[in-house]
Amino acid sequence: MAGMVIVITSGKGGVGKTTTCANIGSGLANRGFKTVLIDADIGLRNLDVVMGLENRIVFDLVNVAEKTCKIRQALIKDKRFENLYLLPAAQTKEKDAVKPEQMVELCEELRKEFDYVLIDCPAGIEQGFKNAVAGADQAIVVTTPDVSAVRDADRIIGLLQAREIADPRLIINRLRPDMVRKGDMMDICDVNDILAICLLGIVPDDETIITSTNRGEPAVLDANSKAGQAFRNVVGRMLGEEVPFMSLDFDLGWMSKIKQRFIKK
Amino acid sequence: MAEMPSPEASGKMESLSENVVFKGYKTGLTLVIPEVGSWEGYLQDLRIRLEQSHDFFMGAHIVIELGKRLIAEKERSALRETIQAYGLNPRFAEEIKNKSSAANEIEKTDEVDQFRATITVKKTVRSGQRISFEGNLVIMGDVNPGAEVIASGDIVVLGKLRGTAHAGAEGDETAKIVAFQLRPVQIRIAGVITRDSESGPKAKYLGPEIARIKDGMILVERVSY
């Protein structure tokens, strides 16, 4: 069976696309699926750093697209997993160095060999976005509970639907239970109310993510990390398992807020 | 997917006196391409419009009105293919009837037609999307912040209106905006503009509301029929 090509996108920058991509990829590989991560953020590549594979890059996405090397030569095998590979972006080129048709071709090639092809999409809705979504079957939209991030996610969902990637799924990243409880942050209901798409996961704001990102070790492998647990749950849901949403300590505040709403009405 | 316009092409577009126009009549959707001006420019403009409309027109029947312009059979089939590529079913006006000229037809329709054309959009209009229509507009879904809906007639939103809405866009002051929940960033009716009150972000939900012009101001009240 041909593999699935999933693009991870957000519109707004800095909401955690790359971290999400690294974690979901590692999570899928950990479950035994043959997975490849494509960094489509040409000129601002990060995924290699987050994965701790920067020093192994020889060829990159642009070389593959221009056919100056074979796909196999550009793929970097992960340190930890046998079945996880990275196709890094070029750092010295720009987004228009690759055309959407080339991405489609590349995705078609890769899906023959891999179970999952994850594409780390750059921020914005320009050429880089168009390249990243060109070959994708599915999309995961990452947002933080900010008004501006949600607005951009909404725009992205519209653009994805216009490209017939009909049912994007949502990950709400960096939720701060304490702030939600105080009413200083949008809660899940608010976000869901506007975006109204299937929720794939809620990742709490977690300091361990920063250290694990800097060290190049995805948090999903850290048994003590809350964010890591959230990403493991996301992977479970992607594989069709029924995983209940994590019982974070905001549950109480969230439920009581719903109750309050009912009382108001 | 059509390619995005090159800067050169969009520059050309601006220099055109008129653009291609989508019109909605009782009889259906019509695409009017002006009789004079660069054919290539209009084609480019059309592609941009269709690109921007996303799958909005998907499956619609459309009549192509060329007026007195004569085009080669090759161009004709190219135009037809361009439109079909966006999921529309095009027909040329002269194929239906080649008697009355375009201008007469339009005037006649406007005179006789007491009932405006109405279209239904069965999806949520999201940020950055824009739906405009000559006639009434019914949205079965939400209008999210950052989205724009524009109609020359009334706008009805069977959902939450949280974006920008402009009814009576061609100056009809009797136009109305109705929504299950009316929380727009801004609403305009004809030439009157009003914005959301900046006080409470979460006002109590009262039920469907209607906005219309009264004494030169936009008045919002609960729907009570």
Side-chain angles (χ1 to χ4, degrees):
Chain A
M1 201 187 93
M4 189 78 82
V5 184
I6 304 174
V7 62
I8 295 171
T9 180
S10 73
K12 191 174 178 294
V15 297
K17 286 178 294 296
T18 303
T19 314
T20 304
C21 192
N23 279 292
I24 293 180
S26 305
L28 285 168
N30 198 14
R31 293 288 197 96
F33 291 96
K34 212 173 172 209
T35 306
V36 59
L37 310 175
I38 304 178
D39 190 349
D41 202 348
I42 301 165
L44 287 170
R45 71 175 179 209
N46 287 134
L47 189 54
D48 51 321
V49 183
V50 174
M51 296 297 292
L53 299 171
E54 189 184 13
N55 52 8
R56 305 183 191 200
I57 298 174
V58 180
F59 296 108
D60 55 45
L61 178 60
V62 175
N63 296 131
V64 173
E66 287 171 352
K67 297 212 163 64
T68 48
C69 74
K70 289 183 185 133
I71 296 181
R72 191 156 289 286
Q73 289 176 299
L75 290 177
I76 302 170
K77 194 156 111 193
D78 188 74
K79 295 187 263 193
R80 294 152 292 247
F81 297 109
E82 278 288 306
N83 47 4
L84 181 61
Y85 289 83
L86 170 72
L87 180 55
Q91 184 67 340
T92 50
K93 306 273 172 43
E94 284 181 26
K95 302 278 190 276
D96 50 14
V98 175
K99 293 194 183 69
E101 305 84 66
Q102 292 172 324
M103 283 299 286
V104 173
E105 198 187 328
L106 174 64
C107 292
E108 290 307 314
E109 266 320 298
L110 286 173
R111 78 160 86 220
K112 286 179 197 159
E113 273 190 52
F114 290 89
D115 299 318
Y116 286 94
V117 180
L118 301 182
I119 304 171
D120 183 21
C121 177
I125 53 172
E126 295 84 17
Q127 189 63 43
F129 170 77
K130 284 174 196 154
N131 285 340
V133 301
D137 316 313
Q138 287 187 10
I140 295 176
V141 177
V142 182
T143 186
T144 55
D146 302 298
V147 176
S148 52
V150 170
R151 190 73 61 92
D152 290 359
D154 191 40
R155 176 87 167 106
I156 288 293
I157 296 164
L159 291 173
L160 289 170
Q161 285 172 343
R163 282 166 185 273
E164 285 167 13
I165 302 178
D167 295 311
R169 285 172 295 174
L170 183 70
I171 290 180
I172 302 177
N173 197 7
R174 253 186 247 151
L175 193 81
R176 303 236 332 236
D178 51 328
M179 287 185 72
V180 171
R181 201 159 40 229
K182 278 188 276 175
D184 294 337
M185 194 179 240
M186 294 175 88
D187 65 20
I188 297 150
C189 287
D190 296 334
V191 177
N192 246 344
D193 194 33
I194 290 187
L195 298 180
I197 58 171
C198 171
L199 187 61
L200 188 61
I202 302 160
V203 183
D205 196 33
D206 188 351
E207 284 174 14
T208 59
I209 280 277
I210 301 170
T211 41
S212 66
T213 303
N214 288 345
R215 252 192 274 131
E217 289 168 2
V220 74
L221 307 174
D222 180 355
N224 300 319
S225 164
K226 268 192 176 174
Q229 180 59 47
F231 280 120
R232 282 195 290 279
N233 291 349
V234 166
V235 170
R237 288 185 201 110
M238 282 174 74
L239 300 174
E241 295 164 15
E242 293 245 343
V243 188
F245 283 98
M246 234 161 95
S247 119
L248 300 167
D249 46 358
F250 63 77
D251 260 8
L252 196 88
W254 182 42
M255 287 307 290
S256 62
K257 216 169 179 185
I258 295 175
K259 276 180 203 152
Q260 276 171 14
R261 282 194 178 183
F262 276 110
I263 294 163
K264 268 188 208 163
K265 278 176 192 171
Chain B
M1 280 302 148
E3 280 176 34
M4 284 307 285
S6 64
E8 190 197 349
S10 50
K12 197 161 65 181
M13 199 185 92
E14 275 163 21
S15 66
L16 294 173
S17 54
E18 274 181 289
N19 288 335
V20 297
V21 181
F22 289 99
K23 292 192 169 177
Y25 297 117
K26 199 162 59 177
T27 48
L29 210 54
T30 301
L31 167 68
V32 182
I33 299 180
E35 290 170 13
V36 289
S38 150
W39 176 250
E40 285 305 315
Y42 290 132
L43 273 190
Q44 184 69 29
D45 180 35
L46 176 64
R47 265 185 228 114
I48 297 166
R49 298 281 207 90
L50 288 171
E51 179 74 12
Q52 284 170 348
S53 68
H54 302 303
D55 53 358
F56 173 59
F57 290 121
M58 192 64 82
H61 290 272
I62 190 163
V63 177
I64 303 166
E65 191 65 75
L66 296 171
K68 293 193 182 83
R69 183 192 283 270
L70 293 170
I71 56 169
E73 196 51 48
K74 204 174 71 185
E75 288 173 324
R76 196 172 279 257
S77 58
L79 174 65
R80 194 193 293 267
E81 273 165 28
T82 306
I83 295 173
Q84 275 167 346
Y86 288 90
L88 284 94
N89 302 314
R91 272 189 307 171
F92 287 90
E94 58 268 33
E95 288 169 10
I96 303 162
K97 49 179 171 183
N98 39 15
K99 284 174 203 163
S100 58
S101 78
N104 287 342
E105 179 92 352
I106 291 163
E107 276 163 26
K108 212 170 108 195
T109 322
D110 275 355
E111 255 173 55
V112 176
D113 194 3
Q114 296 285 322
F115 305 95
R116 280 204 188 88
T118 300
I119 56 160
T120 315
V121 178
K122 288 179 188 166
K123 65 168 191 177
T124 291
V125 191
R126 295 185 183 269
S127 175
Q129 295 178 332
R130 177 193 163 105
I131 291 182
S132 66
F133 185 65
E134 265 187 57
N136 301 320
L137 191 52
V138 178
I139 314 258
M140 296 174 80
D142 295 345
V143 177
N144 278 357
E148 282 179 44
V149 286
I150 298 159
S152 62
D154 301 334
I155 295 174
V156 178
V157 180
L158 303 174
K160 298 172 193 125
L161 173 55
R162 285 179 290 210
T164 301
H166 191 176
E170 284 168 5
D172 180 3
E173 297 205 340
T174 62
K176 297 174 182 70
I177 298 173
V178 189
F180 280 174
Q181 195 176 352
L182 202 58
R183 294 271 169 274
V185 174
Q186 201 182 73
I187 41 179
R188 305 175 201 165
I189 298 176
V192 188
I193 300 178
T194 188
R195 61 186 159 74
D196 190 23
S197 64
E198 279 159 21
S199 53
K202 281 182 184 174
K204 216 165 116 184
Y205 178 67
L206 294 169
E209 289 177 303
I210 181 165
R212 61 164 158 243
I213 294 188
K214 199 176 181 188
D215 304 326
M217 302 254 285
I218 294 179
L219 181 76
V220 178
E221 41 187 15
R222 282 182 67 181
V223 175
S224 51
Y225 291 116

